[in-house]
Amino acid sequence: MLKSSVIYTLLSSLATPFASAVTVYTSSPTTTADLSLYTVASNDQTILQVPAAPQGLNPTVLAQLYDGGMAGMGNPVNGGFLGFSVELSVAAMLILRPEFLNYCAVLESRGGSVTVRVGGNTQDKAILAVDGNPSGKTIDKYKGTDASPTETPDVHFTLDLFYAMASISKLVKTNWFFGIPFIAVDSDGNAGLVVQYAKQILGSNLLALQLANEPDLYGPHLKKQADYSEQDFFTDTQTMIQKLPITEPILAGPSICCMWDTNTVLYRQWTTGAVFYANIVVAEALGKSGVSQVIALQLDNNNENRAGYAIYEKGVASRAVFVNYVSNPGASDYTVQIAIGGQQTGLPSKTPTSVKVKYLRADSVSVKYNITWAGQTMGQQYASDGRLYGDAEVTTIQCDTNAQLCDIPVPSPSVALVFLTDEAYTNSGGLSGDASGSTLTFATTVTTGKVHATIDLAALSTSNGRNGSLPLGATSKGGALSSWSEQGVRLAGGAAQLWWSVAITVLGVVGGAWMM
């Protein structure tokens, strides 16, 4: 396992895009601006300088596995362990987009399901309009009534949102977290209505109801008294629980950090960031069995430049993941020799005669685009429709039956996912279905056309979702200074940490850091 300080560093590096610098829009003699000129993270083509390649690394390392399992394996998890987080105020326009459904299908076809959380800052004061909104819209937004520096809008949503979520679950196996209002813990019974209808309409596809979004910021953001404390939160939670119509253990929370959002922009152009590719790797690594257990292999004496994980299913070594963090193509490759039993263990060898391998590849660990998974890509900036394109590349490696070893090349930089059994390969999606590896895709003829989008600068400067004039908007810390475009493309801003993303997501499965 990586040391806690390293874990904190990785989490910090992944969180950086969410606190990125703001763009200040002032008066301009022009009325429109090219979308590609916006000064936001996803448009920034700056490539971070990668660290110098270390010297003296072992060119070959052993990954010794054992039949029947290994001490220190994590709890069983399913392939839908990772997923999406969608702000409530934009959920209606986002989750029904075919691009979003395609992203879900890519993960579902590999991990068996996809997890989506709907909530965020706008959940805390949201009102469920059971009889509909006067405007006829699924979601209406009004200027917030408090003095919060984020100027988070008040959201009124209708039952249509729940029905839309339920319909999505019929198209793609989607399980939901839904954030319930928390600010008025003992007043109008609105939270009880949300719970009642969420359970009724979503049924078994409702994983949990989330209490409170960033309560650690209730004081600074003036949503509660300035000295709002953990004890205050616990008291409010107990009050809320007593009033909610629940008898089962379905509550979760709170959320005390910013979660990443799906990467979209208003004018129907989508960019797939590196973090999503990491999610694909994790979904395939865990597969559809629902009983995958992960263990860190302390590869090469826990060398910080490489990592290895084994995935077991009911005691059978089914898959392994190996990471090469070094950006020094051709000069810092290494080979992992996998053994299951045998060698110096004194146990019978269970090493397979052959394995299949998929690779996550890019020119360096700092690139945002030109990323491929098994030879396929989701395209360049503003060119994705949520589907993988290109011919899938799966490498079959013959193992040395005499030495009882499987030699797996791990190029610099890359992530190698090794399927130790044919069943494991099939259980992770294999090559079934269409080019994306999924059995169902959703056409996006509008998005794939050439669109030269412009937007009025006056509208851009005030369109963070506070007045409802435009449907997208930032609502988290610093959101009052963030434009809709920054909210929409945050994921691509975090793309520079591609290989760290894979490591920390797999590590989270090992340590149970994010239990879903």
Side-chain angles (χ1 to χ4, degrees):
M1 297 283 291
L2 296 176
K3 296 181 175 64
S4 58
S5 59
V6 178
I7 296 175
Y8 177 79
T9 302
L10 295 180
L11 288 171
S12 299
S13 70
L14 291 176
T16 299
F18 300 96
S20 56
V22 238
T23 303
V24 178
Y25 297 94
T26 58
S27 58
S28 170
T30 60
T31 57
T32 60
D34 192 309
L35 190 64
S36 64
L37 300 181
Y38 294 158
T39 313
V40 293
S42 70
N43 299 333
D44 188 352
Q45 298 301 309
T46 302
I47 300 298
L48 299 180
Q49 183 175 352
V50 299
Q55 302 299 312
L57 294 176
N58 292 325
T60 304
V61 297
L62 176 67
Q64 180 66 63
L65 309 184
Y66 296 84
D67 188 37
M70 297 174 66
M73 294 189 303
N75 294 328
V77 292
N78 62 56
F81 185 80
L82 300 177
F84 302 100
S85 178
V86 179
E87 185 69 38
L88 173 61
S89 61
V90 301
M93 68 151 288
L94 178 62
I95 63 176
L96 290 177
R97 290 290 305 171
E99 297 92 340
F100 182 78
L101 297 178
N102 284 333
Y103 283 116
C104 290
V106 166
L107 297 182
E108 186 250 6
S109 67
R110 291 160 167 80
S113 65
V114 61
T115 301
V116 180
R117 174 253 197 171
V118 176
N121 278 8
T122 49
Q123 81 182 48
D124 275 332
K125 294 173 62 180
I127 294 177
L128 174 57
V130 176
D131 296 324
N133 283 321
S135 67
K137 296 178 181 177
T138 300
I139 292 180
D140 269 340
K141 291 181 287 187
Y142 304 90
K143 182 175 177 61
T145 55
D146 56 35
S148 172
T150 62
E151 297 188 31
T152 302
D154 290 344
V155 169
H156 294 195
F157 70 99
T158 71
L159 295 177
D160 286 342
L161 179 59
F162 288 144
Y163 286 118
M165 293 162 63
S167 296
I168 289 172
S169 293
K170 294 177 181 178
L171 294 172
V172 180
K173 177 58 177 174
T174 308
N175 296 314
W176 304 90
F177 284 80
F178 194 85
I180 60 178
F182 190 79
I183 295 298
V185 296
D186 57 358
S187 57
D188 57 8
N190 176 60
L193 285 176
V194 174
V195 171
Q196 173 188 338
Y197 284 103
K199 291 170 55 180
Q200 176 183 318
I201 297 172
L202 297 178
S204 61
N205 296 122
L206 179 64
L207 287 177
L209 295 159
Q210 182 209 336
L211 283 176
N213 184 76
E214 299 177 349
D216 51 322
L217 298 178
Y218 281 175
H221 286 178
L222 308 180
K223 294 182 177 181
K224 296 275 192 177
Q225 68 270 22
D227 60 350
Y228 190 80
S229 64
E230 291 181 17
Q231 185 55 53
D232 292 323
F233 169 72
F234 294 141
T235 300
D236 284 348
T237 298
Q238 289 302 317
T239 301
M240 175 72 82
I241 290 175
Q242 293 170 9
K243 293 178 176 293
L244 293 178
I246 56 172
T247 55
E248 65 274 46
I250 199 173
L251 294 180
S255 169
I256 56 172
C257 63
C258 296
M259 301 175 71
W260 59 272
D261 294 327
T262 303
N263 204 22
T264 181
V265 292
L266 186 61
Y267 284 93
R268 299 183 298 277
Q269 298 186 54
W270 292 61
T271 301
T272 302
V275 176
F276 185 77
Y277 287 92
N279 276 24
I280 299 177
V281 177
V282 173
E284 288 204 33
L286 297 177
K288 301 176 183 178
S289 70
V291 295
S292 291
Q293 293 177 273
V294 184
I295 183 168
L297 298 175
Q298 312 294 337
L299 198 67
D300 195 15
N301 294 317
N302 205 21
N303 190 299
E304 64 180 6
N305 296 291
R306 47 191 58 163
Y309 306 89
I311 295 91
Y312 281 79
E313 294 173 309
K314 297 181 179 180
V316 177
S318 57
R319 304 171 194 84
V321 177
F322 301 104
V323 186
N324 189 337
Y325 298 122
V326 181
S327 287
N328 192 20
S332 295
D333 303 351
Y334 71 92
T335 298
V336 176
Q337 294 185 316
I338 300 177
I340 305 176
Q343 303 303 307
Q344 306 301 314
T345 66
L347 300 172
S349 174
K350 297 291 185 177
T351 303
T353 57
S354 66
V355 297
K356 291 182 173 63
V357 186
K358 290 184 178 182
Y359 288 98
L360 181 66
R361 300 298 308 270
D363 293 336
S364 80
V365 296
S366 64
V367 300
K368 298 181 179 181
Y369 313 113
N370 295 320
I371 301 166
T372 61
W373 169 243
Q376 296 180 304
T377 183
M378 287 195 159
Q380 298 296 311
Q381 186 181 37
Y382 301 133
S384 181
D385 65 0
R387 293 182 285 187
L388 286 163
Y389 286 92
D391 295 328
E393 299 174 0
V394 181
T395 303
T396 298
I397 295 177
Q398 300 299 321
C399 302
D400 188 331
T401 55
N402 293 322
Q404 300 174 344
L405 294 170
C406 295
D407 288 354
I408 310 300
V410 188
S412 169
S414 72
V415 177
L417 172 57
V418 184
F419 300 93
L420 300 172
T421 69
D422 289 339
E423 181 181 1
Y425 176 70
T426 302
N427 193 278
S428 292
L431 286 177
S432 62
D434 61 6
S436 70
S438 60
T439 57
L440 181 66
T441 59
F442 303 87
T444 54
T445 54
V446 174
T447 331
T448 53
K450 294 182 179 179
V451 179
H452 186 74
T454 61
I455 185 171
D456 187 281
L457 288 180
L460 177 64
S461 66
T462 59
S463 61
N464 76 337
R466 296 192 296 274
N467 58 18
S469 60
L470 285 174
L472 286 178
T475 58
S476 194
K477 187 175 183 180
L481 298 178
S482 300
S483 68
W484 63 263
S485 49
E486 286 182 291
Q487 173 74 5
V489 293
R490 283 176 172 172
L491 182 57
Q497 301 294 334
L498 173 59
W499 315 116
W500 292 117
S501 300
V502 176
I504 199 64
T505 48
V506 176
L507 187 62
V509 178
V510 175
W514 306 303
M515 295 306 296
M516 289 190 175

